[in-house]
Amino acid sequence: MSGIQLRVWGEYACFTRPEMKVERVSYDVMTPSAARGILEAIYWKPAIRWVIDRIHVMKPVRFDNIRRNEVSTVVPLSGKAGVNAAMKGGTNPVRLFVEECRQQRAAMVLRDVEYVIEAHFEYTSAEDRNDGKHLDMFNRRAKKGQCFHRPYLGCREFAAFFEPVSGAIPVSPLARDTARDLGWMLYDINYAADMTPFFFRPTLENGIVDCRKGGVTA
């Protein structure tokens, strides 16, 4: 099956390490789950599932320390003041008072990032199996800048810009660097199995993270 190639870039990114999510610290490069989220923001159908093959790192890895204002809670789903009750015609307003739960937190984020995502899709059922249709729709939407919601680089406030790659993928400026073990990294989350996280151990080699290597494990 033919795959897709998408260039994404942005001013900041934070692919949060789960073991450091209070004071956020980013992985060195984009995770496969973050790449999948970007593709799904552009084109998604129940009949397909995106699989990330390779992530090309097109700019040097640079970290920056920032401070951000966050809230310590979210609007509840259940209960009289929750979202579910409001959607069923409840009269209580759905609200969150930022002044009561604002917190300032430090974060170590990536700055000035650019990646090329190589991916393909697999079918989740016997319906709607048309390779050309799905590929054409994805490439057409990516070329026009269309998306279901704004893609982001790890955190929603770090917007991702995107465009399809036509022709050969440029050589990464990190291609001549020594291969680097990136340690254990989040691969993806299985939402059908009670949100079980899967990890793998990738290597940044020739400026490329090959997501097909590294042994995915729960």
Side-chain angles (χ1 to χ4, degrees), residues 117-204:
I117 302 168
E118 285 188 87
H120 68 278
F121 60 82
E122 296 177 348
Y123 291 107
T124 59
S125 68
E127 299 179 354
D128 201 12
R129 288 176 172 259
N130 187 327
D131 295 358
K133 166 193 162 185
H134 294 301
L135 290 173
D136 288 346
M137 290 183 71
F138 176 86
N139 287 320
R140 185 168 60 248
R141 291 177 62 84
K143 189 175 182 179
K144 292 182 177 178
Q146 295 176 327
C147 50
F148 297 123
H149 60 82
R150 183 71 187 183
Y152 53 90
L153 297 163
C155 296
R156 288 189 180 275
E157 58 266 49
F158 300 149
F161 303 90
F162 60 91
E163 66 178 8
V165 176
S166 57
I169 299 175
V171 177
S172 168
L174 308 180
R176 295 186 178 181
D177 292 359
T178 305
R180 188 197 314 175
D181 183 353
L182 297 175
W184 287 103
M185 176 183 288
L186 177 68
Y187 181 83
D188 213 331
I189 294 175
N190 187 350
Y191 292 93
D194 196 23
M195 297 188 68
T196 302
F198 287 85
F199 295 86
F200 75 134
R201 187 152 192 170
T203 301
L204 181 60

Side-chain angles (χ1 to χ4, degrees), residues 51-114:
V51 178
I52 307 303
D53 297 322
R54 302 201 298 178
I55 298 173
H56 299 246
V57 182
M58 305 307 293
K59 288 190 175 180
V61 178
R62 296 172 55 198
F63 283 95
D64 202 353
N65 289 300
I66 63 173
R67 285 190 177 275
R68 302 184 301 168
N69 290 328
E70 300 183 4
V71 293
S72 60
T73 186
V74 297
V75 175
L77 285 175
S78 57
K80 293 182 179 179
V83 175
N84 292 336
M87 293 179 67
K88 294 178 181 177
T91 56
N92 291 325
V94 178
R95 60 192 177 188
L96 181 69
F97 291 104
V98 176
E99 291 77 10
E100 296 178 357
C101 54
R102 178 186 291 142
Q103 296 180 345
Q104 190 173 66
R105 293 182 177 176
M108 182 179 288
V109 302
L110 296 168
R111 185 166 190 175
D112 190 21
V113 299
E114 179 181 337

